[in-house]
């Protein structure tokens, strides 16, 4: 289990939201067009219709990894590429390895990402570098109201 509810996931990961720009979405579209870290991402809107308003926003970008590997040494820089409509592949540095919950790791790869897995991220520690590929679609949890206010705490 990766999450018990969108609200619980948002509360647990609100400090790792990426700052970027949401573009207007077509009526009825479940995808948010979010620009951050120099990339255009299409995120499945996990917070419900009409929450993702156009403009600057903080969004938790969540991907489920299909592959990952710890790198033996630090690369020259972070990398992030879009795969298909809503997947990612990249190289980033581990920022946080939350314990006591679902297998999750927070990675900085041009923007902050919350990566989830169906199996544990074994032996990763903050500072490690990893390469990863995510499944589609990426999920987007837009911070609003109290979650946005609490982000700074």
């Amino acid at each position: 289990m990766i999450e018990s509810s969108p609200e619980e996931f948002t509360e647990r990961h609100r400090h790792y939201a990426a700052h970027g720009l949401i573009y207007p979405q077509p009526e009825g579209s479940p995808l948010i067009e979010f620009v951050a870290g120099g990339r255009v991402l299409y995120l499945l809107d996990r917070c419900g219709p009409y929450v993702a308003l156009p403009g600057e926003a903080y969004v938790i970008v969540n991907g489920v990894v299909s592959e990952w590997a710890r790198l033996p040494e630090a690369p020259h820089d972070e990398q992030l590429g879009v795969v298909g409509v809503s997947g990612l592949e990249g190289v980033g540095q581990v920022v946080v390895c939350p314990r006591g919950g679902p297998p999750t790791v927070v990675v900085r790869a041009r923007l902050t990402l919350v990566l989830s897995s169906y199996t544990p991220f074994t032996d990763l520690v903050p500072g490690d570098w990893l390469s990863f590929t995510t499944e589609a679609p990426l999920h987007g949890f837009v911070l609003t109201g109290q979650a946005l206010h609490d982000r700074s705490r």
Side-chain angles (χ1 to χ4, degrees), residues 36 42 51 94 96 116 122 152:
Y42 291 93
V51 172
V94 175
V96 177
S116 301
T122 53
S152 61

Side-chain angles (χ1 to χ4, degrees), residues 137-149:
L138 296 169
H139 293 209
F141 299 80
V142 179
L143 297 189
T144 59
Q146 192 63 38
L148 182 57
H149 174 73

Side-chain angles (χ1 to χ4, degrees), residues 7 10 15 21-22 29 45 77 90-91 94 110 113 121 130 136 152:
E7 295 80 15
T10 300
H15 298 292
L21 186 63
I22 294 176
S29 173
D45 185 354
D77 57 4
V91 172
V94 175
R110 297 186 58 99
L113 302 166
F121 288 101
L130 70 140
S152 61

Side-chain angles (χ1 to χ4, degrees), residues 17 24 52 56 60-62 64 71 81 94 99 113 130 136 140 151 153:
E56 288 190 47
I60 301 165
V61 178
N62 173 240
V64 176
L71 301 178
V94 175
R99 303 289 182 223
L113 302 166
L130 70 140
R151 182 183 182 282
R153 290 187 191 177

Side-chain angles (χ1 to χ4, degrees), residues 75-147:
H76 295 292
D77 57 4
E78 301 167 356
Q79 300 170 24
L80 189 66
V82 177
V83 177
V85 173
S86 185
L88 295 174
E89 62 183 6
V91 172
Q93 189 170 30
V94 175
V95 177
V96 177
C97 299
R99 303 289 182 223
T104 304
V105 65
V106 178
V107 173
R108 175 78 192 162
R110 297 186 58 99
L111 65 133
T112 303
L113 302 166
V114 177
L115 299 178
S116 301
S117 177
Y118 294 113
T119 59
F121 288 101
T122 53
D123 302 323
L124 281 179
V125 296
D128 283 347
W129 285 82
L130 70 140
S131 64
F132 61 90
T133 303
T134 68
E135 299 175 357
L138 296 169
H139 293 209
F141 299 80
V142 179
L143 297 189
T144 59
Q146 192 63 38

